[in-house]
């Protein structure tokens, strides 16, 4: 069942798509529906599928936020849940395929193992408009990070794109 989770989430996204209006902000248009390429759905590469899981979780969360522009919506909870789902998928893939490695994803597993995922998300991805949890232990995280994450570079690989849903009622 977990192997089909990205496809099921993709189907849910199609059902939950927002209105067909065009969103424009700062001269840039964004879509109202998140799409995956057929290759992203079919390619079983464990790293790719982990990032597909992240991308679908994040886009579903962005739609759930309910802003005027779902492609640009974000929050601490959205990013944290998406990273957690990324890690769950990666851990499943590592068990399934045995021996697969990815420098970033393996480091992120270390972050989670040290119980600093919330602090990691706040440190590397926080936006000024985010509401952060009050119980973050940033001092301990920074001390741990300096020792455990030397030369670390955070990554975000969005697999898919925001596009416009066809408005069939307009014809």
């Amino acid at each position: 069942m977990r192997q089909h989770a990205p496809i099921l989430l993709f189907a849910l996204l199609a059902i939950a798509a927002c209105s067909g209006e065009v969103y424009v902000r700062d001269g840039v248009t964004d879509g109202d529906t998140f799409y995956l390429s057929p290759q992203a759905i079919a390619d079983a590469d464990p790293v790719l599928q982990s990032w597909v899981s992240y991308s679908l979780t994040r886009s579903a969360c962005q739609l759930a936020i309910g802003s005027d522009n779902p492609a640009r919506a974000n929050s601490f909870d959205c990013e944290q849940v998406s990273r957690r789902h990324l890690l769950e998928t990666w851990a499943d893939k590592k068990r399934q395929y045995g021996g697969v490695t990815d420098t970033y994803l393996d480091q992120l597993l270390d972050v989670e193992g040290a119980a600093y995922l919330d602090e990691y998300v706040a440190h590397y991805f926080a936006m000024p408009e985010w509401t952060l949890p009050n119980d973050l232990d940033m001092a301990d995280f920074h001390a741990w990070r300096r020792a455990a994450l030397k030369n670390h570079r955070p990554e975000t690989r969005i697999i898919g794109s925001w596009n416009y849903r066809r408005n069939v009622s307009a014809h």
Side-chain angles (χ1 to χ4, degrees):
M1 180 67 175
R2 285 182 84 75
Q3 294 174 358
H4 302 293
I7 295 169
L8 292 173
L9 192 52
F10 176 72
L12 288 174
L13 282 172
I15 292 168
C18 295
S19 74
E21 295 177 23
V22 173
Y23 300 99
V24 179
R25 183 170 294 162
D26 302 326
V28 177
T29 60
D30 290 304
D32 62 356
T33 307
F34 192 80
Y35 291 95
L36 287 176
S37 71
Q39 180 184 359
I41 295 170
D43 189 337
D45 175 69
V47 174
L48 174 68
Q49 287 306 311
S50 296
W51 284 105
V52 165
S53 175
Y54 168 85
S55 299
L56 289 174
T57 303
R58 185 172 181 217
S59 62
C61 181
Q62 288 172 298
L63 287 170
I65 289 173
S67 75
D68 291 340
N69 186 334
R72 302 239 179 150
N74 206 346
S75 69
F76 171 84
D77 291 334
C78 186
E79 189 63 34
Q80 191 269 359
V81 166
S82 301
R83 298 260 164 199
R84 189 163 308 283
H85 200 84
L86 167 69
L87 287 172
E88 289 171 3
T89 304
W90 179 239
D92 286 347
K93 297 297 180 187
K94 284 181 77 73
R95 281 190 294 278
Q96 181 181 359
Y97 292 98
V100 294
T101 62
D102 179 85
T103 301
Y104 177 75
L105 294 175
D106 290 339
Q107 284 181 334
L108 201 56
L109 281 176
D110 292 342
V111 171
E112 182 184 46
Y116 287 123
L117 187 59
D118 289 355
E119 288 81 1
Y120 179 89
V121 168
H123 175 75
Y124 287 107
F125 302 104
M127 306 292 243
E129 65 273 9
W130 284 10
T131 301
L132 298 176
N134 293 326
D135 61 347
L136 294 176
D137 191 346
M138 298 308 289
D140 280 355
F141 170 69
H142 289 306
W144 178 86
R145 178 181 60 84
R146 283 189 291 279
L149 294 179
K150 293 180 192 262
N151 302 316
H152 177 74
R153 297 207 187 274
E155 293 183 19
T156 299
R157 301 180 205 170
I158 301 294
I159 309 299
S161 63
W162 285 95
N163 295 306
Y164 297 100
R165 191 168 36 113
R166 226 182 126 116
N167 189 348
V168 292
S169 64
H171 295 148

